[in-house]
Amino acid sequence: MTDAAAKLMSRLGLDCPIFQAPMLGATTPELAAAVSNAGALGSWAGAGSDPEAIAGNVRRIRALTSRPFSVNLFVMEDRQPSPAELRLAQELLQPYRDSLHLGEARPLARYCQDYRAQIEALIELAPPLVSFTFNVLDRATVTRLRRAGCLVMGTATTAAEARAWEGAGADLVSAQGSEAGGHRGSFLKAFEESSVGLFALLPQMVRAVSIPVVAAGGLMDGGGIAASLLLGAGAAQLGTAFLCCPESGASPAWKRSLLAAQDGDTRITRAFSGRPARGIVNGFMDAMRPHEAERAELLSLWAGQGVGMMRSLPAGELVSTLRSELEQALPDLPSRAAGSLSG
Ligand SMILES: Cc1cc2nc3c(=O)[nH]c(=O)nc-3n(C[C@H](O)[C@H](O)[C@H](O)COP(=O)(O)O)c2cc1C
């Protein structure tokens, strides 16, 4: 581990270099707290919540655990779709709405939360770690979050994006490989030019920045975590692996699809939100393929390419299993980790 990673582990007080990824639509305070209580870093995705709801959820996490946890937001300007875009999306979706007896869709007042207001809430709440995706924050905002006592983590899909976050003053950066489930965090170039597999991306990012890099994308077991650490990561962040935990907010239908899916069953689509995201291919994704520039909402089955290794365990048990697999794969890791944790 790098010195910076050792300092990070020490500051966060983790027992193992494992982060549970923030996942909008799936992470709950219960999941984050169960992961943190097991010695890893639990995360809650706050992007869809207004400042009041963020405060309520952070209070709930704090009631459930005294260990460190993280909160995640999108760095995204609200964009009002044009009337023509809305009309086309409505036309494409009407058959689905009809089959669900939902009537006609009405345009929303706004299409995303005000992330600046959300950040003000985080500055007051000061969770131990805050993470961001979709863009890089300005240096002044990163400084305010850090002064409030938060460590700041950015998401990067290329070495250049990692450098941008380091330049903004982030404490650490997540390397999001192209295997990752959910939305791509790319912000400097189009996602097609930023789709690098984790094991190619990670060592390049580690060389490009001096802050700790957290590996993410397709990791499902302790062997994958060990391999990430050998490639220079300070920790590994797993999302899909936690989706089938009983504490996860994923719907039963989504969990069933995850448990049945195999490695080749996911693809990147823009059909659900207008932004590229990886999920299990379903009829809706196929039907919307010719219209992927448009916006839509229906059941999305976000999952990473490791989905064929899905396990349905309580979050605490999953963390202990990952930890013992990691110890088996890297027998000297516990002592190294313990040394850096206490140092
Ligand atoms: C269902 C789902 C929702 C996600 N939502 C978010 C989110 O709200 N914010 C974020 O930064 N990343 C989000 N991600 C991406 C994760 O942070 C992480 O990069 C990814 O889960 C790693 O790949 P894996 O799922 O193969 O482990 C999401 C991923 C999934 C699977």
Side-chain angles (χ1 to χ4, degrees):
M1 265 196 241
T2 61
D3 279 356
K7 272 189 205 143
L8 163 75
M9 291 303 178
S10 160
R11 168 127 186 235
L12 282 178
L14 299 182
D15 295 341
C16 59
I18 301 173
F19 291 12
Q20 165 250 317
M23 295 182 283
L24 189 63
T27 49
T28 60
E30 288 71 21
L31 176 64
V35 170
S36 291
N37 283 332
L41 185 79
S43 307
W44 178 71
S49 304
D50 63 21
E52 214 172 294
I54 290 176
N57 280 279
V58 168
R59 272 198 298 273
R60 173 96 184 121
I61 298 171
R62 286 196 160 125
L64 296 170
T65 185
S66 54
R67 314 239 358 178
F69 63 93
S70 95
V71 177
N72 171 267
L73 294 180
F74 298 164
V75 182
M76 189 164 64
E77 303 295 337
D78 194 12
R79 174 184 168 274
Q80 196 65 27
S82 70
E85 283 178 308
L86 280 174
R87 247 194 327 274
L88 182 55
Q90 234 161 337
E91 261 170 45
L92 292 170
L93 291 182
Q94 203 51 51
Y96 295 93
R97 297 188 66 85
D98 289 344
S99 73
L100 297 165
H101 310 290
L102 289 174
E104 282 217 359
R106 261 174 289 161
L108 302 174
R110 59 183 311 154
Y111 285 80
C112 71
Q113 296 286 336
D114 174 358
Y115 77 87
R116 292 183 185 86
Q118 292 175 314
I119 287 176
E120 292 308 315
L122 287 191
I123 287 171
E124 278 207 6
L125 295 159
L129 192 144
V130 291
S131 71
F132 297 91
T133 189
F134 291 153
N135 210 337
V136 61
L137 286 177
D138 59 90
R139 203 176 168 80
T141 306
V142 173
T143 303
R144 287 183 66 217
L145 284 160
R146 297 186 76 239
R147 284 208 183 118
C150 307
L151 290 180
V152 176
M153 179 164 89
T155 302
T157 60
T158 59
E161 289 175 353
R163 277 193 296 267
W165 269 109
E166 184 176 45
D171 295 280
L172 59 161
V173 66
S174 161
Q176 191 189 41
S178 57
E179 305 90 336
H183 284 86
R184 305 289 308 141
S186 308
F187 57 90
L188 287 182
K189 288 191 173 172
F191 97 93
E192 294 88 346
E193 299 162 66
S194 318
S195 287
V196 189
L198 180 62
F199 283 6
L201 177 65
L202 187 53
Q204 298 187 70
M205 205 180 277
V206 167
R207 281 163 183 72
V209 295
S210 55
I211 52 176
V213 177
V214 177
L219 301 173
M220 299 294 285
D221 65 0
I225 298 168
S228 301
L229 297 185
L230 289 175
L231 288 175
Q237 174 158 272
L238 286 67
T240 300
F242 286 93
L243 282 173
C244 285
C245 295
E247 299 91 340
S248 140
S251 66
W254 185 2
K255 287 183 177 175
R256 278 196 299 277
S257 302
L258 288 161
L259 288 167
Q262 292 305 312
D263 48 4
D265 289 345
T266 72
R267 137 167 114 67
I268 292 184
T269 180
R270 284 193 163 101
F272 289 100
S273 66
R275 281 178 174 266
R278 181 178 294 285
I280 298 170
V281 178
N282 62 6
F284 181 80
M285 241 156 96
D286 277 341
M288 290 294 139
R289 195 166 198 159
H291 312 285
E292 287 206 350
E294 309 312 324
R295 289 165 172 240
E297 293 290 342
L298 209 77
L299 190 63
S300 50
L301 303 171
W302 303 139
Q305 289 182 321
V307 66
M309 293 168 73
M310 199 72 207
R311 293 180 276 207
S312 180
L313 290 173
E317 252 180 71
L318 180 55
V319 172
S320 341
T321 306
L322 293 169
R323 284 176 69 175
S324 50
E325 288 170 352
L326 175 57
E327 279 165 29
Q328 259 191 317
L330 275 183
D332 65 330
L333 183 83
S335 54
R336 276 201 283 158
S340 40
L341 282 173
S342 58

